[in-house]
Amino acid sequence: MNYLVGAFKPPCNIFISFTDGRSRKQVPLKKENGKTVMVALFQSQENIVGEVVIEPIHGKKVEHNGVKIELLGQIELYFDRGNFYDFTSLVRELDVPGELYERKTYPFEFSTVEMPYESYNGVNVRLRYILKVTISRNYVSNIVEYQDFVVRNYTPPPSINNSIKMEVGIEDCLHIEFEYSKSKYHLKDVIIGKIYFLLVRIKLKNMELEIRCRESTGSGPNTYVETETLAKFELMDGAPVRGESIPIRLFLSPYELTPTYRNINNKFSVKYYLNLVLVDEEDRRYFKQQEITMYRNLEAS
């Protein structure tokens, strides 16, 4: 690496902007340095239109071998940090080789862009969309500028949404039935259900409902699974009696949830579970876990 080149600032500034940047919805995005910035929000099949401004620093000229802008959708697995897998890659040439002496503006447009996956910042994986402008140069390093944006895709409510009915049993000691009104929820939904105690011969002291998120990345021997408890909701404090029923009403809107992601580009999955936890007086814990499907609903976003 040529450290002399790195000692000097680039001879120009690059600015990337969206044509509808002022009216378009902005959402927070956490950067690698831990800072949060507000960036433009898009969904799949939208046109991404804007302009690139290149402004030579006063008195400097920029010799170049061409200017291009790329739209990239990338997945980075943290155990393979720095290696980005491009699942979307589009390019527009903005300028032929030449010299820049003064500020120049280049319009760009990517039409009806296919962006099938949502932006995601996970424990072990990141999926991002960026615009990347490159000024190619001879003998010295290229000048590169990035602009992040976020993609969210909306799903209509499912036409079939079956309830979940399950049983928890310990032979001759405990028999519980529980029921959730549906199995698919949008991100601002409410989980409604009921728990029935059919047989109680052990002394229970409390019961909780947890929302768990399980992120799995990689494949084969390089599979990493992270399970995070996002919410704990106390359903009962004290001992239940036979025949008792306990209602469940859990609002999802306070929690940072994403849709369920299944095998995104063969790189990662994110799944959600409702976990019923029963604790007896000797602090033994009994679990019953059930997967639920999360989706992003336009009306509730």
Side-chain angles (χ1 to χ4, degrees), residues 26-31 33 35-39 148:
Q26 305 276 308
V27 293
L29 176 70
K30 197 170 184 181
K31 302 281 281 182
N33 58 12
K35 290 183 180 174
T36 299
V37 295
M38 299 300 288
V39 299
D148 291 279

PDB file of all heavy atoms in Angstrom, residues 26-31 33 35-39 148:
ATOM      1  N   GLN A  26     -37.515   8.677   5.786  1.00  0.00           N
ATOM      2  CA  GLN A  26     -36.178   8.362   6.282  1.00  0.00           C
ATOM      3  C   GLN A  26     -36.309   7.428   7.490  1.00  0.00           C
ATOM      4  O   GLN A  26     -37.217   7.581   8.305  1.00  0.00           O
ATOM      5  CB  GLN A  26     -35.459   9.648   6.726  1.00  0.00           C
ATOM      6  CG  GLN A  26     -35.393  10.733   5.658  1.00  0.00           C
ATOM      7  CD  GLN A  26     -34.227  10.539   4.713  1.00  0.00           C
ATOM      8  OE1 GLN A  26     -33.092  10.378   5.131  1.00  0.00           O
ATOM      9  NE2 GLN A  26     -34.513  10.550   3.415  1.00  0.00           N
ATOM     10  N   VAL A  27     -35.398   6.485   7.577  1.00  0.00           N
ATOM     11  CA  VAL A  27     -35.408   5.551   8.714  1.00  0.00           C
ATOM     12  C   VAL A  27     -33.994   5.463   9.296  1.00  0.00           C
ATOM     13  O   VAL A  27     -33.010   5.718   8.603  1.00  0.00           O
ATOM     14  CB  VAL A  27     -35.889   4.140   8.280  1.00  0.00           C
ATOM     15  CG1 VAL A  27     -37.350   4.162   7.866  1.00  0.00           C
ATOM     16  CG2 VAL A  27     -35.014   3.579   7.177  1.00  0.00           C
ATOM     17  N   PRO A  28     -33.889   5.107  10.595  1.00  0.00           N
ATOM     18  CA  PRO A  28     -32.547   5.014  11.194  1.00  0.00           C
ATOM     19  C   PRO A  28     -31.793   3.783  10.716  1.00  0.00           C
ATOM     20  O   PRO A  28     -32.379   2.719  10.504  1.00  0.00           O
ATOM     21  CB  PRO A  28     -32.835   4.939  12.697  1.00  0.00           C
ATOM     22  CG  PRO A  28     -34.254   4.496  12.816  1.00  0.00           C
ATOM     23  CD  PRO A  28     -34.971   4.903  11.565  1.00  0.00           C
ATOM     24  N   LEU A  29     -30.487   3.940  10.538  1.00  0.00           N
ATOM     25  CA  LEU A  29     -29.609   2.833  10.147  1.00  0.00           C
ATOM     26  C   LEU A  29     -28.362   2.898  11.013  1.00  0.00           C
ATOM     27  O   LEU A  29     -27.699   3.929  11.082  1.00  0.00           O
ATOM     28  CB  LEU A  29     -29.218   2.943   8.669  1.00  0.00           C
ATOM     29  CG  LEU A  29     -28.213   1.895   8.170  1.00  0.00           C
ATOM     30  CD1 LEU A  29     -28.839   0.509   8.111  1.00  0.00           C
ATOM     31  CD2 LEU A  29     -27.661   2.275   6.799  1.00  0.00           C
ATOM     32  N   LYS A  30     -28.059   1.775  11.671  1.00  0.00           N
ATOM     33  CA  LYS A  30     -26.879   1.725  12.528  1.00  0.00           C
ATOM     34  C   LYS A  30     -25.654   1.399  11.682  1.00  0.00           C
ATOM     35  O   LYS A  30     -25.625   0.397  10.972  1.00  0.00           O
ATOM     36  CB  LYS A  30     -27.068   0.667  13.622  1.00  0.00           C
ATOM     37  CG  LYS A  30     -26.101   0.822  14.778  1.00  0.00           C
ATOM     38  CD  LYS A  30     -26.495  -0.088  15.936  1.00  0.00           C
ATOM     39  CE  LYS A  30     -25.589   0.143  17.127  1.00  0.00           C
ATOM     40  NZ  LYS A  30     -25.923  -0.726  18.250  1.00  0.00           N
ATOM     41  N   LYS A  31     -24.651   2.262  11.749  1.00  0.00           N
ATOM     42  CA  LYS A  31     -23.422   2.083  10.958  1.00  0.00           C
ATOM     43  C   LYS A  31     -22.437   1.198  11.719  1.00  0.00           C
ATOM     44  O   LYS A  31     -22.610   0.917  12.906  1.00  0.00           O
ATOM     45  CB  LYS A  31     -22.796   3.450  10.683  1.00  0.00           C
ATOM     46  CG  LYS A  31     -23.711   4.426   9.955  1.00  0.00           C
ATOM     47  CD  LYS A  31     -23.777   4.132   8.480  1.00  0.00           C
ATOM     48  CE  LYS A  31     -22.536   4.674   7.790  1.00  0.00           C
ATOM     49  NZ  LYS A  31     -22.594   4.438   6.333  1.00  0.00           N
ATOM     50  N   ASN A  33     -19.575   1.926  12.819  1.00  0.00           N
ATOM     51  CA  ASN A  33     -18.930   2.617  13.942  1.00  0.00           C
ATOM     52  C   ASN A  33     -19.869   2.792  15.142  1.00  0.00           C
ATOM     53  O   ASN A  33     -19.519   3.441  16.124  1.00  0.00           O
ATOM     54  CB  ASN A  33     -18.401   3.988  13.499  1.00  0.00           C
ATOM     55  CG  ASN A  33     -19.497   4.888  12.945  1.00  0.00           C
ATOM     56  OD1 ASN A  33     -20.683   4.597  13.091  1.00  0.00           O
ATOM     57  ND2 ASN A  33     -19.112   5.978  12.304  1.00  0.00           N
ATOM     58  N   LYS A  35     -22.644   4.438  15.207  1.00  0.00           N
ATOM     59  CA  LYS A  35     -23.495   5.623  15.102  1.00  0.00           C
ATOM     60  C   LYS A  35     -24.736   5.309  14.268  1.00  0.00           C
ATOM     61  O   LYS A  35     -24.701   4.458  13.383  1.00  0.00           O
ATOM     62  CB  LYS A  35     -22.719   6.776  14.458  1.00  0.00           C
ATOM     63  CG  LYS A  35     -21.632   7.347  15.359  1.00  0.00           C
ATOM     64  CD  LYS A  35     -20.940   8.531  14.717  1.00  0.00           C
ATOM     65  CE  LYS A  35     -19.864   9.088  15.646  1.00  0.00           C
ATOM     66  NZ  LYS A  35     -19.071  10.145  15.008  1.00  0.00           N
ATOM     67  N   THR A  36     -25.814   6.008  14.559  1.00  0.00           N
ATOM     68  CA  THR A  36     -27.061   5.832  13.814  1.00  0.00           C
ATOM     69  C   THR A  36     -27.288   7.043  12.927  1.00  0.00           C
ATOM     70  O   THR A  36     -27.176   8.187  13.382  1.00  0.00           O
ATOM     71  CB  THR A  36     -28.241   5.648  14.779  1.00  0.00           C
ATOM     72  OG1 THR A  36     -28.005   4.464  15.561  1.00  0.00           O
ATOM     73  CG2 THR A  36     -29.551   5.473  14.033  1.00  0.00           C
ATOM     74  N   VAL A  37     -27.565   6.777  11.649  1.00  0.00           N
ATOM     75  CA  VAL A  37     -27.850   7.860  10.701  1.00  0.00           C
ATOM     76  C   VAL A  37     -29.235   7.630  10.095  1.00  0.00           C
ATOM     77  O   VAL A  37     -29.751   6.516  10.099  1.00  0.00           O
ATOM     78  CB  VAL A  37     -26.786   7.926   9.577  1.00  0.00           C
ATOM     79  CG1 VAL A  37     -25.418   8.295  10.130  1.00  0.00           C
ATOM     80  CG2 VAL A  37     -26.699   6.596   8.807  1.00  0.00           C
ATOM     81  N   MET A  38     -29.823   8.707   9.591  1.00  0.00           N
ATOM     82  CA  MET A  38     -31.116   8.596   8.917  1.00  0.00           C
ATOM     83  C   MET A  38     -30.871   8.455   7.411  1.00  0.00           C
ATOM     84  O   MET A  38     -30.125   9.250   6.823  1.00  0.00           O
ATOM     85  CB  MET A  38     -31.978   9.822   9.189  1.00  0.00           C
ATOM     86  CG  MET A  38     -32.309  10.025  10.665  1.00  0.00           C
ATOM     87  SD  MET A  38     -33.206   8.642  11.414  1.00  0.00           S
ATOM     88  CE  MET A  38     -34.831   8.852  10.645  1.00  0.00           C
ATOM     89  N   VAL A  39     -31.469   7.437   6.808  1.00  0.00           N
ATOM     90  CA  VAL A  39     -31.270   7.192   5.372  1.00  0.00           C
ATOM     91  C   VAL A  39     -32.624   6.966   4.691  1.00  0.00           C
ATOM     92  O   VAL A  39     -33.631   6.704   5.352  1.00  0.00           O
ATOM     93  CB  VAL A  39     -30.343   5.977   5.116  1.00  0.00           C
ATOM     94  CG1 VAL A  39     -28.961   6.204   5.708  1.00  0.00           C
ATOM     95  CG2 VAL A  39     -30.957   4.700   5.667  1.00  0.00           C
ATOM     96  N   ASP A 148     -25.664   4.799   1.768  1.00  0.00           N
ATOM     97  CA  ASP A 148     -26.543   3.715   2.214  1.00  0.00           C
ATOM     98  C   ASP A 148     -27.998   4.070   1.963  1.00  0.00           C
ATOM     99  O   ASP A 148     -28.381   5.245   1.983  1.00  0.00           O
ATOM    100  CB  ASP A 148     -26.387   3.493   3.720  1.00  0.00           C
ATOM    101  CG  ASP A 148     -25.041   2.913   4.090  1.00  0.00           C
ATOM    102  OD1 ASP A 148     -24.884   1.697   3.967  1.00  0.00           O
ATOM    103  OD2 ASP A 148     -24.155   3.693   4.500  1.00  0.00           O
TER     104      ASP A 148
END
